[in-house]
Amino acid sequence: MADNTARAKQFMPFAALRGYYAMVLAKNRVVEPRRELIGDAAERLSRKLGLVKKGMMITVRFYRTDAYDTITGLVTRIDPEYRYITIVKTKIPFDDITEVSSPEIPDGE
């Protein structure tokens, strides 16, 4: 049996360039400028965030570091005092959110 594990180890992948692929992906990432919501769009987003409850399944588009990202998941925490929402384990400040959607939130809101 020991011979089989030794033989299997020789066929394991070897990463000679550790971190190279992550670096290539990061270099190819397009940097997007941050856009601020104003007027009706900001008010509509605020109303939608007011309807979000813990345990609700939502999709959020938000600004992360240098580009916009989208996450879908269960809301595990809402902290209006410190102005952030947590979806699964991702903590998102209210100021970074540009869009919120859920089957439980009407689009007209």
Side-chain angles (χ1 to χ4, degrees):
M1 189 61 90
D3 291 333
N4 288 340
T5 57
R7 180 168 164 73
K9 282 184 181 180
Q10 87 181 40
F11 293 107
M12 289 180 64
F14 175 69
L17 300 173
R18 188 176 302 235
Y20 173 75
Y21 296 106
M23 183 184 72
V24 169
L25 289 174
K27 189 161 180 84
N28 289 335
R29 185 176 176 137
V30 177
V31 176
E32 293 180 67
R34 185 183 181 127
R35 297 179 302 274
E36 295 296 324
L37 291 178
I38 55 172
D40 291 341
E43 191 176 313
R44 190 170 31 256
L45 177 63
S46 179
R47 279 196 305 264
K48 283 185 172 185
L49 280 172
L51 296 173
V52 173
K53 305 287 183 234
K54 185 177 177 182
M56 188 181 280
M57 178 70 78
I58 65 171
T59 299
V60 174
R61 181 167 168 79
F62 63 102
Y63 194 77
R64 182 191 305 216
T65 312
D66 59 358
Y68 285 91
D69 201 355
T70 303
I71 186 171
T72 300
L74 288 176
V75 176
T76 55
R77 183 177 176 141
I78 301 171
D79 192 331
E81 183 178 348
Y82 291 104
R83 300 183 43 78
Y84 73 87
I85 187 169
T86 304
I87 299 176
V88 186
K89 292 183 179 180
T90 305
K91 186 175 174 179
I92 306 167
F94 287 166
D95 294 338
D96 292 344
I97 298 173
T98 59
E99 191 177 321
V100 174
S101 62
S102 171
E104 300 175 52
I105 300 173
D107 284 331
E109 286 296 315

